[in-house]
Amino acid sequence: MSVEKKNGTSNYEYVTARVQARRAALFDDEDYRKLVRMGPGEIARYMEETEYETEVNELGSKYGGVDLIEHALNRNLGKHFNDLLRWADGQLYEFIARYLRKFDAWNIKTVIRGIYSDSDSEAIEEDLIYAGELDRRFLDRLTEAGSIEDVVEMLDRTRYGDALADAYADYEETGVLIPLENAVDRTYYEGLIGGVTQTDNRATQLYVEFLQAEIDFRNARNALRIARSGADLDPADYFIEGGELFRASELSQLSADVGELVTFVRDSTYGDDLSAALDELERADSLIGFEHALDAALLEYSDHLSHVFPLSICPVLAYVLAKEREVDNIRAIARGREAGLSEDEIENELVML
C-alpha cells in the first residue's frame, strides 16, 4: 500500500455511502453477548454466517478453533481497509493511506512485544495486520528476528528507525517497553499530522481535528500507563506533539490522578460530547478498564464528528476505529473462552458503547 497520489477529485459521497453500508454490518453489543456464551468452534460457525464467511471458509481447512478465528479476523480487516483505498480518489485516498500507516505502527509494536515475551514467530505473525505500507515479506522477517535490538536495526531505513534507535537505550535501562512503543507512536502521529498542510480547506481541517483528538487520547493513555508502570519515566518526555488538549508540562501531574485527568477532559472542548464515557473513566478501577473507557470515548467522539459532517473524512476514519473495535472484541472473546474465563471476566475485556 502506498500514499502516492491517486488521480481525480475526492469522491466523498461514494466512499461514505460504501462505508455506511459496511458500518451497518458490524457486530453490535448483542452479538458480543451471544459470543461470550460460545466456545471457539461455535464462534467460528457464527462468524461463518456473517461477513466473515469467505475468510472462515478459505482458512477452515488449515486452521481450527482460536487460530482460525484469529487468521480470519486479520485477513478480513486487511481486506476491508484495502477496499477503502480501492474506492477512494484524490485527496481522500491520501488521507486514508496516511492514516492506515497506524497498522505499520501496530505491527512493529506487536513484533517487539512478542520477542519481549519470548513468543515464537508464528504466534507473533498471527497478530499482524497487513494493511499498512510495510510489505508482508519484510514483516515476516521482523517476526524471525532474534532480539529486540535486531528489530531496531532492521527498521533502521524506515521512518521509525531514528526514533527507535534513540529509545533503545531507555529500554535497556528500564527493562520496560514503554520507550520503544512510544517512539513508534510518536513517529506515526507526529509524521501523520505534520504531513498535513494547514489550509482553509474544510476537508483538511476535519482530518486534522480527528487526528488531534486521537493524539489527545493517546497522550492520556500513555501518561497513565507510565504512571502505573513504576518505571522511572517522566510522562512529559513521552509526549506526542500535535494534539490540542494537553501541554507536555501538564501531563506528569494529571497522570498521577485519574480524577484530575477526567475533570481536565470534562472541562475541555470534548466534555459535552464525552460525558457518558468520562463517567465510565471515573468508575474504571484498573488500567485496562481506563484504557477501554478511553477507546470508547474516542469512538464516541469520532461518531459525533461523523454525524455532524457526514460527507467528509470523518465517517471513514470512524469506521476504521469501529472495525478495529469489532476485531479486538471478537479476538478477546475467543481467547477468553479458550483460557476458561467467565462471561463477566470476558465482558470486562471488551470495548462496548
Side-chain angles (χ1 to χ4, degrees):
M1 189 270 291
S2 169
V3 293
E4 290 180 6
K5 287 191 177 181
K6 210 171 170 186
N7 292 331
T9 57
S10 296
N11 51 341
Y12 286 100
E13 189 169 348
Y14 172 73
V15 175
T16 54
R18 297 296 299 264
V19 163
Q20 187 175 19
R22 288 280 175 92
R23 185 75 188 260
L26 293 178
F27 284 27
D28 58 22
D29 289 353
E30 183 58 33
D31 288 308
Y32 299 134
R33 293 189 180 97
K34 291 177 183 176
L35 292 178
V36 297
R37 297 192 291 269
M38 301 179 185
E42 294 173 293
I43 293 172
R45 286 192 291 275
Y46 188 90
M47 291 170 62
E48 199 173 3
E49 300 299 320
T50 69
E51 58 138 44
Y52 293 95
E53 177 185 8
T54 299
E55 289 78 17
V56 172
N57 287 336
E58 288 178 352
L59 296 166
S61 61
K62 186 175 180 182
Y63 303 102
V66 173
D67 286 343
L68 172 57
I69 294 167
E70 298 258 13
H71 284 277
L73 288 172
N74 289 344
R75 180 179 290 190
N76 181 271
L77 192 70
K79 178 183 76 175
H80 277 242
F81 293 162
N82 281 298
D83 281 347
L84 297 178
L85 295 170
R86 189 166 52 82
W87 297 337
D89 291 324
Q91 187 184 51
L92 176 59
Y93 172 88
E94 293 180 56
F95 284 162
I96 296 171
R98 289 181 183 277
Y99 187 72
L100 292 181
R101 285 177 180 160
K102 72 188 302 181
F103 294 105
D104 290 332
W106 163 267
N107 288 334
I108 292 169
K109 290 188 291 184
T110 297
V111 170
I112 290 172
R113 290 167 187 161
I115 294 173
Y116 183 80
S117 61
D118 292 323
S119 300
D120 61 42
S121 60
E122 288 187 5
I124 298 171
E125 186 183 342
E126 286 180 359
D127 285 337
L128 299 184
I129 298 169
Y130 301 103
E133 285 186 318
L134 299 178
D135 66 45
R136 181 184 290 262
R137 285 176 297 178
F138 180 73
L139 290 170
D140 288 345
R141 290 202 304 274
L142 284 182
T143 66
E144 295 166 0
S147 67
I148 290 177
E149 185 176 14
D150 289 343
V151 172
V152 172
E153 289 178 0
M154 292 172 70
L155 289 163
D156 178 58
R157 294 181 180 274
T158 71
R159 69 180 71 249
Y160 301 93
D162 290 344
L164 281 170
D166 291 343
Y168 188 75
D170 287 339
Y171 159 69
E172 284 197 306
E173 182 179 336
T174 62
V176 298
L177 293 180
I178 289 172
L180 295 173
E181 293 183 337
N182 182 261
V184 174
D185 287 337
R186 288 174 82 174
T187 300
Y188 167 67
Y189 284 112
E190 291 179 6
L192 186 62
I193 203 160
V196 179
T197 304
Q198 293 296 331
T199 175
D200 292 334
N201 181 286
R202 187 56 177 152
T204 302
Q205 291 172 350
L206 287 172
Y207 187 58
V208 169
E209 185 174 342
F210 190 100
L211 299 182
Q212 287 172 336
E214 191 161 341
I215 291 170
D216 284 333
F217 282 86
R218 177 62 61 177
N219 275 326
R221 175 198 298 266
N222 287 349
L224 191 71
R225 185 176 289 178
I226 289 169
R228 297 283 179 89
S229 73
D232 185 21
L233 300 171
D234 184 351
D237 293 338
Y238 296 90
F239 180 74
I240 300 172
E241 298 287 349
E244 287 286 289
L245 186 56
F246 303 106
R247 291 191 296 271
S249 58
E250 296 168 330
L251 216 50
S252 299
Q253 178 182 349
L254 292 172
S255 68
D257 186 333
V258 173
E260 194 172 339
L261 179 62
V262 170
T263 299
F264 188 87
V265 177
R266 199 184 292 280
D267 291 340
S268 75
T269 56
Y270 301 118
D272 290 342
D273 300 318
L274 301 182
S275 179
L278 290 169
D279 291 342
E280 181 61 32
L281 283 183
E282 287 184 307
R283 289 192 293 269
D285 58 1
S286 67
L287 178 58
I288 193 68
F290 181 88
E291 292 190 348
H292 286 170
L294 275 179
D295 289 338
L298 182 60
L299 280 164
E300 191 172 317
Y301 186 69
S302 70
D303 283 342
H304 163 74
L305 287 179
S306 299
H307 290 309
V308 176
F309 306 105
L311 292 180
S312 72
I313 185 65
C314 296
V316 181
L317 301 187
Y319 167 71
V320 172
L321 292 179
K323 181 66 177 176
E324 286 183 86
R325 170 214 182 203
E326 174 181 89
V327 167
D328 288 344
N329 281 346
I330 297 172
R331 179 185 289 115
I333 292 169
R335 289 178 174 176
R337 295 299 292 171
E338 183 182 50
L341 299 182
S342 69
E343 292 179 16
D344 286 343
E345 288 173 321
I346 294 172
E347 287 197 8
N348 287 336
E349 296 293 316
L350 308 183
V351 176
M352 299 172 71
L353 298 180

